[in-house]
Amino acid sequence: MTQTTDETPAPLATLLTQSSGVSVLYERVYDNRLLYVGELRKMGAEIVVAGQTAIITGPTQLVGTHVRSLDLRCAAALVLAGLVAEGTTVVAGQVLALSCHRSIARQQAVFCAERATAAAERAQSVAPPGHS
């Protein structure tokens, strides 16, 4: 069981959707802080909420869709989910536009570059001899 602090629950929940097994997050700071779970479920996350506890089963292949940011933490979680989702994810909401951790854009660019490099390396390693 992971007890969360004010800044970690939503992004951590997204990461746990990609972990093997069952993870339990206990939100101990605020009531109703797990509302972002509904948006992650739209993307295919297997999360059950009981009170202030989220039970997350993974790994889950997330699927891109239209989701709505409810607050800054939710926006960060949805951007991370969009990075690992199959397809296109569109995140709407008042918080995302200017205040969602500016470093996420830089991290997204690095992640996409690493993902593209890994895909190219895999494709090259399976190419028939003389076709690389």
Side-chain angles (χ1 to χ4, degrees):
M1 179 184 285
T2 301
Q3 290 190 349
T4 61
T5 62
D6 191 35
E7 56 276 335
T8 59
L12 180 59
T14 298
L15 296 175
L16 291 173
T17 68
Q18 302 306 297
S19 297
S20 293
V22 176
S23 302
V24 178
L25 274 174
Y26 179 68
E27 171 54 61
R28 61 189 176 100
V29 179
Y30 296 103
D31 292 337
N32 296 320
R33 183 58 73 80
L34 297 174
L35 296 177
Y36 62 87
V37 167
E39 298 303 301
L40 290 175
R41 282 189 194 137
K42 289 179 186 177
M43 299 179 76
E46 293 183 31
I47 306 175
V48 175
V49 174
Q52 291 180 271
T53 302
I55 302 164
I56 305 162
T57 303
T60 304
Q61 176 60 60
L62 300 178
V63 179
T65 191
H66 286 75
V67 289
R68 182 161 181 76
S69 167
L70 306 171
D71 61 23
L72 182 59
R73 289 158 210 81
C74 181
L78 295 174
V79 168
L80 289 173
L83 289 173
V84 299
E86 187 69 35
T88 302
T89 301
V90 177
V91 181
Q94 80 283 6
V95 178
L96 185 62
L98 295 175
S99 59
C100 183
H101 302 292
R102 294 183 194 275
S103 65
I104 286 179
R106 288 188 296 275
Q107 293 168 3
Q108 180 179 8
V110 170
F111 176 82
C112 290
E114 289 172 353
R115 193 170 178 181
T117 301
E121 289 172 353
R122 280 194 306 274
Q124 190 172 33
S125 70
V126 296
H131 292 89
S132 52

